[in-house]
Amino acid sequence: MISTFKGLNRVLITGSLLAIALLYFFPILIKSSNNPSFYLQVVSVAVCSAILTISLNICMGYGGLLSLMHTGMQMVGGYAVAILAVKQGWNGWLALVASAVIGAIFAILVILISLRATYLYFGMITLAVNLIAMEAVRHGGELTGGYNGLFGVFAPGIPSGMMSAEGFYRVMITILILAYVVQRNLIFSGFGRNTMALRESSETATALGISPNMHRVKVFSVSGALAGLAGGLLSIQIGYAVADIGDLNNGLIFFVGLFLGGVGTLAGPVLGVALVAVIDFTIRGTGQYRTLVLGSILLLTMIILPRGIVGTYRASRYGSPRSREVMPGEADNYHLDIAVKNVTKGEVLLEAKDVVKHFGGVHAVDGISVQFKAGEVHGIIGPNGSGKSTLISALTRYHELTSGSVTLLGVEADKKPFKVARDGVTRVFQIPHLFERVSVLDNVLTGMYRRDKYSIFDAIFRTPRYLKANSRSVAEAKALLSLAGMLGMEELAAGSISHGQKRLLEVIRAVATEPKILILDEPATGLTQDEMHSLTSLIRTLAAGGMCVVLIEHNVAFLMDLADIVTVIQSGKVIAEGTPQAVQKDERVLEAYLGNTDFSKELA
Amino acid sequence: MLTVMERCFGERYTSTVSDGGNVFKKKVIIAAVAATALFGTAVTATAADNPGLVPKKVWDSKADKIKIGLVAPMTGIFAVLGISQRNSLQVVADQINAAGGIGGAKIELVVRDGGLDPVASANYAKELAGDSSINMVAGPSISSYYQGAATYYEAAKKLNCQPAVAALDFTDYKYAFRSQDYYKDTLTALMTVLQKRSIKKFGMIYESGPTGTDFDAYYTAQATKYGLTYLGWEKITSTATSHNAELQKFIDKGAEAVNISNNAYGAYTAKAAKELKYKGILMGGSGAQNIAFHETGGDDFAGTLMAAPNYQWPIRDKSLWQPGYKAHTEAVVKANGFNTGVKSGATSPNGTAIAADCLYAYAVAANKVRSLDATKVRDAMEKLDIPAKMTPSGVRIHPGPEHNLYQADGINVYEWRKDAKGWYTIEVNGVSRQAAACPEAGWIAKTATGSPLVCAKVSGKLVYRAG
Amino acid sequence: MSLQIWIDGLFAGSVFAIIALSMTIVYQPTRIMNFAQGEGFILGAALGYQLVGVWKWPLIQSLVVLVIAAALMGFIMERMVMLPVQLSGSKFAWIIATLAAAMIFQSAFNIKYVNVTFSYFDLIEKDISIFGAKLSVQKLLVILMMIIVFIANDQFLKRTLWGRSIRAIAHNPDTSTILGIPTKPVIKLAFITGTIVIALVGFLASPVIIVAPAAGLFFTIQGFTAAIIGGVGSPKGAVVGGLMIGILDSVVRSWLGGTWGLFSTFFVLAVILILKPNGFFGKRVEGR
């Protein structure tokens, strides 16, 4: 099986190299055809579309940001080149660079004003911006040429004979390959992992210390730069810039290409656009039936290949990664210093005083004070609806406090949840929040994001700094996986492993953030005996290293066995606190839970 | 996407379907024309061409096919534009093919749907420009896209003919011809009529876009020459579901006439005129033959002025139609039918004869030089002078160095009327068409006041009599 | 500014409001903003033209056929959209599926009616005078329809079992399935009723506003804008948003000139979303 997989991979790589070679030599191949300039134009325009679709993929496929303004970004890039190169007389190459920069600036401006909007609403803002941008261009007077647009945009040097159409075509192919590499390097780096983390769950990403807003700005600006560049190239290729290029209707090819190829896959956009270009080329003689044919093909493909070509391949027997065999003794290669730095055992890490959280008339948390200390396992119990989860959300700033205070290492805790996470408080949610479509290894690596001290540019260009940081992170991630007995499963999609493994993986990912306080919300639910054992030993190891592990648990036996101190909550108030033994005997606890048979049973 | 919507009702090409017509003409000869002198576009025609209604096989080209390309919106909001162009081109192609083709070569249409997509339009224009087997191209039919494509055509020395590009100066292009009324001629004709009717103030309701911009600039510069005060341009867009507000502004300013859009937008202005009981005159270009205007304007649409090349369709007595126009229009209706307004009963054929003129003129020119070489045919086309009675549009084709198939004398101003039998037009040309001489019995001219004169043989002498 | 401008805006706003309401009906159980929804408007206009205009059928008979045809279209549309959406794992699949459906319907209308603008005579040729401003009965019918659809939808959701099911599914589709609420039939019903509603307004409004066969997407976007301003999924929001863009457009065009109408609509949309990211009455929307 493994050899088939490798064999197929080799075929794919050889195929890609052949395709690149074919693209480079395409102008020579068509030289003797009946219409070389047309074929060159068709492929050139498809190349621009592919670059734009890569940009759309970064934004939508990986970033989960619904953008309906990519055609508008393309238009802006086109006008940037037209205005700078034709009207201002800039060097064409410089104008192309400017188109990317202006595309990025445009994107940044849009996302900055719409950070609060989520999903569909963000999509609608982009739609509105797209229309406003088109209207603005149409009313731009001399500068934009109004409704008629700007004409006479040529490839740098073409009129003076410095560069032939074929030469510019090869430049475009090179830019496409670069765009692909940028996409790939970004996605495989910490930047890409954070992007996907945000796509899968903004909440979880926040818990890992990722700033959703800052990261969205970065993703969208990278996407904007690529889209602007694609637009710049397009206006040179067709020779003019006109507002209609921004029309979303004319951007269908990007969406279609993206979905046909596979949204959120690396090769998907390029393959999809290539396919759409071929289809469009083939049906160009159908005249008034063209959109009918195109629409029907699109719908059929959605039904036959709902995940697109690459997505379907990845989900298939051949394309999906499988677990590898672990060499005997391999685990010994990975060492990990789990000890929490700069903390002394017993030191108060987090202190909550009189925390109150009301939802309207509901007093979910009604004046709780609690201390989390280094090196202890701190259990929190209480019946359903007693306010445990709300308390945690309040402490980690997911909820604003109604009153009370939270101090972290003696300082007032920051108001933003991702800052709290960065300051060393990592929580694992009650419902599994894994990044399901991402590999097991990448899930852990996402947790290490704050250790990666490289920039976007290091990632794109794979600088030594990036390579060094990356190999260190991978080794550490493997060490963590080994600790949970999950070595060998690195490449599996997180969605494909068992429930218990998912819970463990989530804990490991949280540990990867190097927290001082690790908050686990019912981690033992649904675990097998073996997995429970792994979890117990993991928690003990962590606490021994100086970490404070906060456990919210229903499984009292599990909790009482592990915890150093237990806090009992009822109706938003602490009714008892102490060692497990003390709490089990506490009058108030027994009294309070007398009527609650389940809980009494658990306590007994 | 939005733009599409934006164009749903309106848009940015000028007149789509234009043919032309004259109620009273039997055989038309346009003799001396004031407007011609005005713009200095007079082309001294040498001997008029006489190709007949369908150019016959007169030489052997040794080619088996002649391909005519068409890039136009065949789908989407503007599909009607591309489809009526294709219909008319196909009719002419079929007729010529039946008569032996051009030099024995059969004509084949190559149709590409450019939609409202500048990139697709550019691709297809490049395809048709680069394909050496294509002899002539029509389109892209959207002015701004054409401007981009023109570079390809010029570079490839590809003959092209534009039935829907009203603006732009074609003297810039060596291989391009325009088979549409030039907007300056159209507006001049309208202003001349206004002047004759002693109208003082008029305004324009038109969608924002290149056409509106050109019109506005021309009216602003020229209105005073006709003793008119131009009250300005009320811009409209797609979100408007009513033009009452725009028209009301002009009513308040005392506008006695309003220029309406050539596109479906004009229908809203017609509706506003009905709703506001506007007493002034609506006027438009060939777009005013759109039956949607009659539908929305109702009986109040009567009195609307329409400046267009020959459009004889509303004339009930078909024997009055130009023979070429009649043959073409009947063939179009036979092949593609005609539209009927359910409310108004107004009708229009499913074709656009001005597109047909492109192919007709090409065939005549190619036959004349007995060559398919683009440059030779181009030179021949420049020198064409085909009388109005023969051409599919019913308009005299004499392009000259400006490459406009029709000159100012090809523009007629019609007034829509309605009686018990339905809608019809009368000609109200402001431009005097008084013939200097009466050349042949049956020829028509006009008095200075617009009444028709028929050339008749009276006791051996040709004289004009009231028609 | 004259009263007429406001009345014209009220009419246009009512059209957009009904379109937005029909989108809300589809959105509630599916969380899909249907790009093909506007095609239902075209269906209504086309049938009005064909049945009442060309074939001169009586009104009642035409309406019956219209409702049946719209139900059929809703049924087909549901399959065209939901099948790919259910098969695909992507949260963006609905965009492509609904756009593809829109393309197919639009082409079909355009091929059949390429040179027709759907406009037939007013059902009642009469004007009502309100303080000197005029309102035709046809326009009044549309305004009344908006009110009726809003109330009927509201009562349906609150009082009937199906309505409560829709609300439950809107709230949480997974739990609803567990509770035994028939999600799939409810979604089918939503597409069918949504299409009937929008087809009816297309039928009623087409004598007043000129409808081109390929204009479906225009009405879709207007409906989107209205729904988003009001808050996606909220019927109240759909009405408020629709009336707002209708009146805004009319007033701004009269005040500043035609080109500012569209501009102001989208400008206001952007500003509202920046200030109130979930619209006026909307709830926070996370991805599917």
Side-chain angles (χ1 to χ4, degrees), chain A residues 113-130:
Chain A
I113 58 164
S114 47
L115 278 173
R116 287 170 62 207
T118 52
Y119 182 49
L120 195 58
Y121 292 97
F122 179 72
M124 290 312 291
I125 293 183
T126 57
L127 181 63
V129 167
N130 200 48

Side-chain angles (χ1 to χ4, degrees), chain A residues 445-511:
Chain A
L445 287 172
T446 310
M448 295 184 167
Y449 136 80
R450 291 205 48 239
R451 279 181 248 175
D452 295 338
K453 297 286 183 226
Y454 52 83
S455 67
I456 295 186
F457 295 98
D458 288 320
I460 291 176
F461 299 109
R462 299 246 157 150
T463 60
R465 195 195 323 196
Y466 164 81
L467 292 172
K468 205 174 132 205
N470 195 50
S471 65
R472 201 196 62 216
S473 298
V474 170
E476 279 186 32
K478 284 187 177 171
L480 279 168
L481 283 171
S482 153
L483 207 61
M486 293 176 72
L487 204 57
M489 301 167 70
E490 298 91 349
E491 294 307 319
L492 294 183
S496 67
I497 61 179
S498 77
H499 174 76
Q501 288 167 332
K502 283 184 186 169
R503 300 288 334 195
L504 281 173
L505 178 57
E506 226 178 333
V507 175
I508 288 172
R509 185 181 62 189
V511 173

Side-chain angles (χ1 to χ4, degrees), chain A residues 8-304:
Chain A
L8 205 67
N9 251 345
R10 208 171 296 140
V11 170
L12 289 179
I13 291 167
T14 322
S16 318
L17 290 175
L18 275 176
I20 292 172
L22 190 71
L23 278 176
Y24 267 105
F25 291 111
F26 183 70
I28 299 170
L29 297 176
I30 56 165
K31 202 127 215 170
S32 55
S33 74
N34 64 338
N35 203 345
S37 66
F38 168 54
Y39 299 130
L40 197 65
Q41 167 122 343
V42 166
V43 177
S44 303
V45 167
V47 166
C48 293
S49 302
I51 298 172
L52 195 99
T53 310
I54 286 176
S55 151
L56 192 64
N57 191 34
I58 291 175
C59 171
M60 272 175 70
Y62 289 107
L65 293 166
L66 171 55
S67 164
L68 298 175
M69 60 177 278
H70 263 67
T71 45
M73 291 178 180
Q74 187 187 24
M75 175 194 76
V76 167
Y79 271 96
V81 167
I83 291 169
L84 294 175
V86 180
K87 303 203 92 168
Q88 307 291 323
W90 283 31
N91 173 295
W93 300 116
L94 211 58
L96 265 179
V97 173
S99 71
V101 173
I102 290 170
I105 293 172
F106 181 44
I108 290 172
L109 288 178
V110 173
I111 194 146
L112 280 182
I113 58 164
S114 47
L115 278 173
R116 287 170 62 207
T118 52
Y119 182 49
L120 195 58
Y121 292 97
F122 179 72
M124 290 312 291
I125 293 183
T126 57
L127 181 63
V129 167
N130 200 48
L131 293 157
I132 292 171
M134 282 168 66
E135 284 301 306
V137 163
R138 285 185 181 133
H139 293 93
E142 280 286 297
L143 184 69
T144 60
Y147 277 81
N148 279 329
L150 293 173
F151 294 84
V153 190
F154 295 106
I158 280 191
S160 51
M162 278 163 66
M163 177 169 277
S164 62
E166 288 81 9
F168 184 66
Y169 165 80
R170 293 208 173 90
V171 169
M172 286 171 71
I173 297 286
T174 312
I175 294 177
L176 171 63
I177 294 168
L178 287 177
Y180 178 84
V181 171
V182 165
Q183 175 192 230
R184 177 181 166 277
N185 288 357
L186 272 181
I187 293 312
F188 284 151
S189 74
F191 178 88
R193 287 189 288 272
N194 292 353
T195 310
M196 288 182 273
L198 259 178
R199 169 190 71 187
E200 305 266 322
S201 162
S202 162
E203 237 182 5
T204 315
T206 309
L208 298 175
I210 298 164
S211 157
N213 289 348
M214 193 59 217
H215 199 73
R216 281 197 185 114
V217 172
K218 285 185 193 164
V219 171
F220 210 53
S221 63
V222 170
S223 186
L226 274 178
L229 183 62
L233 292 170
L234 182 73
S235 74
I236 291 175
Q237 181 58 39
I238 64 170
Y240 62 104
V242 63
D244 298 20
I245 291 174
D247 193 333
L248 184 56
N249 239 17
N250 297 333
L252 274 181
I253 184 173
F254 313 127
F255 288 95
V256 175
L258 185 56
F259 275 79
L260 213 53
V263 61
T265 64
L266 290 173
V270 181
L271 266 180
V273 165
L275 197 62
V276 175
V278 169
I279 293 172
D280 205 34
F281 181 84
T282 317
I283 64 166
R284 71 192 192 285
T286 53
Q288 81 187 103
Y289 297 95
R290 199 183 74 142
T291 47
L292 189 62
V293 174
L294 206 60
S296 307
I297 291 178
L298 179 52
L299 204 61
L300 276 180
T301 328
M302 287 288 291
I303 292 168
I304 299 165

Side-chain angles (χ1 to χ4, degrees), chain B residues 71-397:
Chain B
V71 189
M74 304 300 293
T75 60
I77 300 300
F78 282 177
V80 59
L81 173 63
I83 287 170
S84 36
Q85 288 174 351
R86 184 205 55 197
N87 289 350
S88 269
L89 282 170
Q90 190 65 56
V91 160
V92 176
D94 291 345
Q95 287 170 339
I96 296 178
N97 287 346
I102 300 176
K106 295 283 189 276
I107 301 166
E108 190 183 295
L109 291 191
V110 178
V111 181
R112 294 289 179 261
D113 171 26
L116 285 175
D117 185 344
V119 180
S121 298
N123 276 0
Y124 295 139
K126 195 140 210 170
E127 175 188 12
L128 300 174
D131 185 341
S132 53
S133 72
I134 300 277
N135 298 69
M136 185 176 70
V137 187
S141 292
I142 312 287
S143 295
S144 52
Y145 306 172
Y146 172 67
Q147 220 169 333
T151 354
Y152 305 161
Y153 296 148
E154 291 303 311
K157 299 195 168 151
K158 183 66 68 185
L159 206 55
N160 64 97
C161 178
Q162 303 302 333
V165 180
L168 299 181
D169 188 349
F170 275 37
T171 47
D172 296 344
Y173 306 127
K174 291 194 178 71
Y175 289 87
F177 289 86
R178 181 204 324 268
S179 72
Q180 199 194 25
D181 43 320
Y182 189 44
Y183 75 96
K184 291 184 179 174
D185 298 340
T186 320
L187 303 190
T188 302
L190 286 172
M191 285 192 289
T192 314
V193 171
L194 294 189
Q195 184 178 29
K196 271 183 60 186
R197 294 188 176 186
S198 312
I199 276 165
K200 295 284 169 239
K201 291 179 186 173
F202 76 108
M204 177 169 80
I205 299 178
Y206 216 99
E207 62 273 16
S208 53
T211 310
T213 309
D214 285 346
F215 283 17
D216 182 58
Y218 192 71
Y219 277 144
T220 306
Q222 303 289 325
T224 48
K225 292 185 189 163
Y226 299 85
L228 295 163
T229 307
Y230 174 55
L231 297 170
W233 174 18
E234 281 297 327
K235 292 176 189 169
I236 46 177
T237 55
S238 65
T239 43
T241 48
S242 147
H243 288 174
N244 288 3
E246 285 79 6
L247 186 61
Q248 188 62 51
K249 282 190 199 171
F250 281 131
I251 293 173
D252 295 344
K253 288 179 192 165
E256 298 153 273
V258 173
N259 187 118
I260 63 173
S261 171
N262 266 322
N263 302 297
Y265 270 128
Y268 287 100
T269 316
K271 191 173 179 70
K274 177 187 169 191
E275 290 185 358
L276 299 177
K277 307 219 173 346
Y278 180 52
K279 294 282 181 285
I281 298 168
L282 296 184
M283 59 184 195
S286 48
Q289 50 191 268
N290 188 339
I291 56 171
F293 293 24
H294 304 78
E295 292 287 280
T296 57
D299 291 354
D300 297 317
F301 192 68
T304 299
L305 298 178
M306 167 172 82
N310 185 51
Y311 187 66
Q312 291 174 310
W313 175 263
I315 298 164
R316 290 168 192 144
D317 181 0
K318 287 189 187 174
S319 65
L320 297 174
W321 292 11
Q322 293 283 6
Y325 176 78
K326 183 164 180 273
H328 178 73
T329 307
E330 281 171 353
V332 162
V333 168
K334 196 177 164 206
N336 308 294
F338 60 89
N339 315 304
T340 308
V342 293
K343 212 173 353 177
S344 61
T347 58
S348 69
N350 281 335
T352 174
I354 54 173
D357 275 0
C358 282
L359 181 49
Y360 178 83
Y362 176 85
V364 174
N367 284 346
K368 230 175 148 181
V369 288
R370 307 201 163 203
S371 167
L372 297 176
D373 175 78
T375 312
K376 286 184 185 159
V377 177
R378 189 264 326 263
D379 292 345
M381 271 178 86
E382 272 184 10
K383 294 187 196 90
L384 286 180
D385 186 1
I386 314 174
K389 61 182 175 184
M390 290 172 190
T391 65
S393 66
V395 187
R396 176 181 168 205
I397 295 177

Side-chain angles (χ1 to χ4, degrees), chain A residues 406-458:
Chain A
V406 180
T407 46
L408 203 52
L409 293 166
V411 192
E412 165 89 33
D414 198 280
K415 288 284 188 295
K416 294 197 182 71
F418 73 88
K419 287 266 177 66
V420 172
R422 284 182 185 181
D423 291 340
V425 185
T426 303
R427 67 186 292 206
V428 173
F429 295 88
Q430 191 173 348
I431 307 158
H433 274 50
L434 277 182
F435 308 134
E436 303 242 333
R437 284 184 281 170
V438 176
S439 75
V440 166
L441 182 70
D442 281 340
N443 263 282
V444 182
L445 287 172
T446 310
M448 295 184 167
Y449 136 80
R450 291 205 48 239
R451 279 181 248 175
D452 295 338
K453 297 286 183 226
Y454 52 83
S455 67
I456 295 186
F457 295 98
D458 288 320

Side-chain angles (χ1 to χ4, degrees), chain A residues 526-547:
Chain A
L527 294 199
T528 64
Q529 213 52 45
D530 275 357
E531 288 160 352
M532 198 88 93
H533 185 73
S534 300
L535 182 63
T536 311
S537 71
L538 181 62
I539 291 174
R540 287 217 167 101
T541 316
L542 295 173
M547 197 181 290

Side-chain angles (χ1 to χ4, degrees), chain C residues 141-203:
Chain C
L141 283 177
V142 172
I143 298 170
L144 288 177
M145 179 184 169
M146 188 264 293
I147 298 165
I148 292 167
V149 169
F150 174 70
I151 294 172
N153 180 55
D154 190 57
Q155 293 300 307
F156 175 78
L157 289 179
K158 281 186 186 143
R159 291 182 195 272
T160 66
L161 188 64
W162 281 85
R164 283 196 290 267
S165 304
I166 289 174
R167 279 165 59 194
I169 295 169
H171 188 251
N172 190 338
D174 299 331
T175 322
S176 305
T177 316
I178 296 164
L179 293 175
I181 293 169
T183 314
K184 284 185 177 172
V186 166
I187 288 176
K188 276 205 174 63
L189 179 79
F191 269 92
I192 290 170
T193 37
T195 313
I196 292 175
V197 166
I198 198 170
L200 279 173
V201 69
F203 178 87

